[in-house]
């Protein structure tokens, strides 16, 4: 399906691809990140290295990047957008990458996920208690990484990270509570509640990454605040696309089974938007509500296919993509309001394109 996303302004101002941009930023940040992780207790450091894809269980070196490194790239690019060297943002990039990994370790435990990036998750490979310990250690390291920054901005950077973590926890708490709420009725989760959850759980750390990069580069407060907002909007757009992929994504592209989110009975935006449909989508919404009320714990393929079809008929898929469009436009508004370095600004837009222009 071709999305309706608007063209990303300025994307032709750089010839670098998203993979090249992400790779350059990872290379810049990796030495400091590895050095920071290396200060942990050896066993905890091994679990951390495993989570980044640097080693196998037991510590044998492995070829792996531990993900694309979107958050660390945001920090670097926003420092460059503020007309400083990307090296100014390295401490911030390390901090947000550590917090992101910490959140994944704990999320995998809470969600019961047994694999991540085709390998057993840390809790599955090492045990639940050790995985919790490793996550806690990474969070402590993140604070230490920022506290060690020289100059007057260190305290403000720690506060920025702390506030983002508070939002992340609130978002995760809401996401967990959504599981026990009904699909319909006065206690049902509404699309607006979901947007707020997504901004906290996904957008807060992306906004923090952008803000830290700019702040550590010495950008004025209005620029820092605008980039924080841009990152948060970027996170919501990413979540909307992720929700679409969680139902209709090609397993060959996503690495996850088709209809995965439906099998797990997750209250994602396309489902919630479909259930609240009015007008032409109302009949499909009513049939969807009936189906979900009778959803078995382990639905078969026919049941999940029917649910996916009803969600699309009720307008849930298009509503999620339109919501992504709105947040992409908000990112553009934030970026256009700032006197950013042209090349870095263009690379930020390329990175945004990478996040939202996936095969959906």
């Amino acid at each position: 399906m071709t999305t309706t996303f608007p063209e990303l302004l300025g994307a032709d101002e750089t010839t670098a691809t998203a993979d090249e941009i992400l790779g350059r930023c990872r290379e810049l940040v990796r030495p400091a990140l590895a050095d920071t992780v290396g200060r942990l207790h050896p066993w905890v450091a091994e679990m951390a290295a495993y989570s980044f894809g640097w080693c196998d269980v037991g510590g044998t070196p492995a070829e792996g990047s531990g993900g694309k490194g979107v958050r660390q790239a945001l920090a670097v690019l926003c420092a460059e957008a503020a007309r400083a060297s990307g090296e100014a943002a390295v401490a911030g990039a390390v901090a947000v990458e550590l917090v992101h990994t910490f959140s994944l370790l704990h999320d995998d435990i809470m969600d019961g996920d047994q694999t991540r990036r085709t390998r057993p998750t840390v809790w599955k490979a090492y045990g639940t208690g050790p995985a919790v310990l490793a996550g806690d250690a990474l969070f402590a390291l993140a604070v230490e990484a920022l506290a060690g920054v020289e100059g007057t901005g260190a305290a403000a950077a720690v506060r920025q990270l702390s506030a983002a973590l508070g939002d992340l926890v609130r978002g995760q708490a809401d996401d967990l509570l959504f599981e026990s709420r009904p699909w319909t009725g006065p206690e049902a989760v509404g699309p607006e509640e979901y947007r707020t959850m997504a901004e906290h759980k996904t957008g807060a750390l992306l906004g923090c990454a952008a803000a830290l990069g700019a702040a550590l580069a010495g950008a004025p407060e209005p620029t820092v605040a605008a980039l924080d907002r841009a990152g948060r909007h970027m996170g919501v757009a990413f979540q909307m696309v992720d929700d679409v992929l969680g139902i209709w994504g090609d397993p060959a592209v996503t690495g996850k089974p088709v209809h995965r989110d439906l099998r797990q009975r997750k209250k994602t935006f396309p489902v919630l938007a479909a259930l609240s449909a009015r007008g032409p989508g109302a009949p499909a919404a009513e049939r969807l509500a009936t189906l979900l009320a009778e959803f078995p714990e382990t639905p078969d393929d026919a049941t999940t296919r029917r649910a996916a079809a009803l969600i699309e008929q009720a307008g849930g898929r298009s509503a999620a993509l339109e919501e992504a469009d709105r947040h992409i436009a908000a990112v553009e508004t934030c970026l256009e309001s700032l006197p950013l370095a042209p090349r870095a600004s263009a690379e930020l837009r390329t990175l945004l394109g990478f996040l939202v222009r996936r095969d959906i």
Side-chain angles (χ1 to χ4, degrees), residues 36 91 94-96 98-99 137-147 158 161:
T36 302
V94 167
V96 295
L98 291 171
V99 167
L138 292 178
F139 171 60
L141 274 185
V143 176
E144 180 183 325
L146 285 183
V158 172
L161 185 69

Side-chain angles (χ1 to χ4, degrees), residues 179-210:
E179 295 177 6
S180 61
R181 291 171 60 180
W183 291 105
T184 59
E187 297 301 317
V189 181
E192 186 58 40
E193 280 186 278
Y194 188 88
R195 291 186 195 97
T196 301
M197 182 280 295
E199 180 187 341
H200 287 158
K201 184 178 177 181
T202 307
L205 197 55
L206 288 171
C208 179

Side-chain angles (χ1 to χ4, degrees), residues 20 72 74 81 86 98 125 139 149 155 157 181 187 204 209-210 213 242 275 284 290 294 318 324 358:
E20 290 169 342
Q72 57 185 291
L74 261 180
L98 291 171
F139 171 60
V149 173
R181 291 171 60 180
E187 297 301 317
D242 206 54
L275 288 170
T290 300
E294 302 170 350
S318 60
R358 290 175 282 170

Side-chain angles (χ1 to χ4, degrees), residues 114-320:
Q114 299 188 21
T115 59
R116 180 173 291 278
R117 303 185 188 111
T118 74
R119 301 201 307 169
T121 50
V122 175
W123 75 266
K124 191 66 177 175
Y126 290 89
T128 301
V132 172
L133 179 65
D136 292 345
L138 292 178
F139 171 60
L141 274 185
V143 176
E144 180 183 325
L146 285 183
V149 173
E150 296 182 358
T152 58
V158 172
R159 288 195 296 272
Q160 184 89 36
L161 185 69
S162 178
L165 180 64
D167 279 349
L168 190 156
V169 170
R170 280 191 287 273
Q172 180 65 28
D174 283 338
D175 197 25
L176 289 173
L177 288 171
F178 288 173
E179 295 177 6
S180 61
R181 291 171 60 180
W183 291 105
T184 59
E187 297 301 317
V189 181
E192 186 58 40
E193 280 186 278
Y194 188 88
R195 291 186 195 97
T196 301
M197 182 280 295
E199 180 187 341
H200 287 158
K201 184 178 177 181
T202 307
L205 197 55
L206 288 171
C208 179
L212 283 179
L216 293 173
E221 177 54 33
T223 297
V224 173
L227 288 173
D228 186 359
R229 290 194 301 274
R232 285 173 178 265
H233 286 299
M234 192 181 296
V236 178
F238 172 85
Q239 187 62 59
M240 295 300 139
V241 172
D242 206 54
D243 285 354
V244 171
L245 291 173
I247 298 177
W248 296 282
D250 181 354
V253 176
T254 67
K256 300 175 182 178
V258 67
H259 303 155
R260 176 176 180 268
D261 284 354
L262 291 176
R263 295 179 192 280
Q264 295 182 343
R265 302 170 59 87
K266 295 184 71 171
K267 293 181 175 69
T268 59
F269 192 88
V271 183
L272 301 177
L275 288 170
S276 63
R278 300 292 183 267
E286 292 176 6
R287 293 195 297 273
L288 175 64
T290 300
L291 177 62
L292 291 175
E294 302 170 350
F295 230 50
E297 287 296 325
T298 54
D300 57 24
D301 290 345
T303 302
T304 56
R305 280 198 303 271
R306 185 181 173 207
L310 288 172
I311 293 166
E312 188 154 14
Q313 290 170 27
R317 181 172 182 165
S318 60

Side-chain angles (χ1 to χ4, degrees), residues 29-76:
V29 176
R30 171 69 182 268
L33 182 60
D35 179 67
T36 302
V37 170
R39 296 201 294 270
L40 291 170
H41 180 286
W43 183 45
V44 179
E46 179 190 315
M47 288 187 282
Y50 176 86
S51 70
F52 285 115
W54 301 342
C55 75
D56 295 323
V57 175
T60 303
E63 292 295 327
S65 65
K68 294 292 188 180
V70 169
R71 289 151 192 83
Q72 57 185 291
L74 261 180
V76 170

Side-chain angles (χ1 to χ4, degrees), residues 314-337:
R317 181 172 182 165
S318 60
L321 296 178
E322 288 167 7
E323 186 70 18
D325 278 348
R326 284 192 287 274
H327 287 277
I328 291 168
V331 174
E332 282 294 342
T333 298
C334 292
L335 296 182
E336 289 172 353
S337 70

